[in-house]
Amino acid sequence: MGFFVAFGAAVATLLMLPSSFASAAPAAAAATGPAGSINCTTGCGSISIQYPFGIEPGCYHGPGFNLTCASRGHGPPELFLGDGTVQVLEISVEHSTVRINSTSVQLLYHDNNSSRTTSRTWGVGIPERGPYFLSESTNILEAIGCNIQGVQDGYSCRCSKGYEGNPYVPGGCQDECEHPEAHSCYGICQNFPGSFGCLCHDGTYGDPFTKGGCNKKFVIGLSVGLGVGGSTSLLLLALGGPFIMRKIKLRKVKKMRRKFFKENHGLLLQQLISRNTDIGHRMIITLRDIEKATDNFDRARIVGGGGHGVVFKGILDLQVVAIKKSKIVVQREINEFINEVAVLSQVNHRNVVKLLGCCLETKVPLLVYEFISNGTLYNHLHIEGPVSLSWDDRLRISMEVAKALSYLHSSASMPIFHRDVKSSNILLNDALTAKVSDFGASRYIPMDQTGVVTAVQGTFGYLDPMYYYTGRLTDKSDVFSFGVVLVELLTRKKPNDYQSVDGGSLVSHFISLLIEGKLVDIVDPQILEEEEDKEVQEVATLAALCTKLKGEDRPT
């Protein structure tokens, strides 16, 4: 059974002596022992040991306070009183109690027949002359019989009200406010007899017992007379608090949006597009309008995406739009990005997806395009089953893509190289009209430059090998990628994961069969049945020219 015992009279009497008594104790205890002592055990198992208790000689106050730490079997060490008979479960110096594990209890009783008082120990191994007695406040005993009366159990040593700590060592009782780890007051701690108070610092309000719980007070735009009571002020604060916090949050959001707009060179874009008043008023779109158009970027609105970001479908000014949200933009490319937006905003071709505007109020700018409803050329070509787009549609789509690239290279206000021409970047509307899209990797090239060295971008299988090896970007890099798309239209095979039996790419295998006169071995059987006047042979020859190794050998 677990019992609480208190330690009292003798101890209190000893510690009422001058403080020099403690300092004269043998030098053997740790920080929890008497002043000036060292090398005393401070714990056994999970139980902390403080002076006046101790294990080693010189580390405890006197008889009855010596302890033994020992292991029984393979378990953790256990703590015992004296020579190791009575197990100690808990020691509280602050409350002057020791909880023990004892199987029997024998109390002091009075023998009426012999007119004498018999003192018997209780709990085998407890010192008969103290310093322990049964704690009345922490144990519940049921006494049965006559002449039952209370017993005076001596005195215990406690810290005065308003102080806490170890009363058995000099300076052990300290102001509660001097130990913030004990009371967790993160404001101003005020000590009172028997307790303490905690208030927020001047100019702040909130919960001082929580870290960061005290916040700065904000001036409310109301004049409160001196005669108004504190309860009225609190009521006004309670009613106005949510409104004030909402205003503060909105102010922070607006500040962040202005910061991103500036970092994304929104002022530069405004200057560039101000030259064209027709587009100036509509090119820059607010984040609020974007969030409204996409239901705050609801994932149900996602219609596409890949390694560079996701595309949301939205409604902006009663028009269905596609909003591209990129994952990463390198800060040093922001200037180029803004210039490209300015250039693309002036692109107007029926076979190029129209850029409607951009939002610069986010960390990564958002692009808004016209929405093309019928998916990509890639999806239409690589469906399950033997029948895909007709040969007439494939031929027309290839011509529309060629016209779009020709426009970008030579008819736009400044030449634009796409850099990532592939079937998944060619969108189709309901009439299967081709729309070249995704200019995220595009570069505009000044008129006086025939080629620019850049970091290589593109998609494996469609990428110009000369551009890959040299980094020199020209219009012929787009021509190579267009030639790969022609091969894809002819064969319905995927350029980015095709491999011939001898390890060759789709383009190299296609050209080998063309030279050998064995196109039938790789061309889609559907178009061999639909073609007229050997059109497949002519388109195959053009594809071979477009994918020549040297750029100068390719057509425009």
Side-chain angles (χ1 to χ4, degrees), residues 24-38:
T32 55
S37 55
I38 57 172

Side-chain angles (χ1 to χ4, degrees), residues 269 273 279-285 341-342 345 355-359:
L269 180 61
I273 65 179
I279 65 171
H281 71 283
R282 59 178 172 80
M283 272 302 297
I284 297 179
I285 303 173
V341 170
S345 67
L355 176 67
L356 302 177
C358 64
C359 175

Side-chain angles (χ1 to χ4, degrees), residues 501-514:
V501 291
D502 58 354
S505 66
L506 175 61
V507 170
S508 62
H509 189 209
F510 178 87
I511 293 175
S512 296
L513 293 175
L514 174 64

Side-chain angles (χ1 to χ4, degrees), residues 420-439:
D420 199 16
V421 177
K422 57 184 177 180
S423 59
S424 58
N425 280 341
I426 299 169
L427 304 182
L428 301 176
N429 65 12
D430 290 335
L432 295 180
T433 300
K435 300 273 188 175
V436 177
S437 73
D438 198 347
F439 289 82

Side-chain angles (χ1 to χ4, degrees), residues 105 107-109 134 139-151:
V105 175
L107 300 175
L108 181 76
Y109 68 93
L134 193 67
N139 294 290
I140 299 176
L141 299 178
E142 182 178 359
I144 301 175
C146 303
N147 299 321
I148 300 299
Q149 59 182 358
V151 181

Side-chain angles (χ1 to χ4, degrees), residues 71-126:
S71 297
R72 295 191 296 190
H74 298 288
E78 297 175 347
L79 192 62
F80 300 88
L81 286 177
D83 60 0
T85 304
V86 179
Q87 183 182 4
V88 176
L89 303 178
E90 177 186 345
I91 296 176
S92 175
V93 174
E94 291 77 11
H95 298 94
S96 301
T97 60
V98 176
R99 187 160 65 94
I100 63 172
N101 186 16
S102 180
T103 58
S104 62
V105 175
Q106 294 176 328
L107 300 175
L108 181 76
Y109 68 93
H110 183 74
D111 189 341
N112 289 327
N113 295 327
S114 61
S115 299
R116 64 185 176 87
T117 298
T118 302
S119 177
R120 298 286 301 276
T121 187
W122 48 269
V124 180
I126 298 296

Side-chain angles (χ1 to χ4, degrees), residues 20 31 95 116 171 177 204 216 274 276 342 387 428 439 452 459 487 495 518 545 551:
S20 60
H95 298 94
R116 64 185 176 87
C177 287
T204 64
K216 290 184 179 179
S274 64
N276 189 334
V387 179
L428 301 176
F439 289 82
V452 175
T459 301
V487 174
K518 298 179 179 179
L545 289 173

Side-chain angles (χ1 to χ4, degrees), residues 370-385:
E370 65 172 319
F371 184 78
I372 308 301
S373 59
N374 206 7
T376 67
L377 175 60
Y378 179 92
N379 292 335
H380 282 268
L381 281 177
H382 303 297
I383 59 172
E384 296 292 334

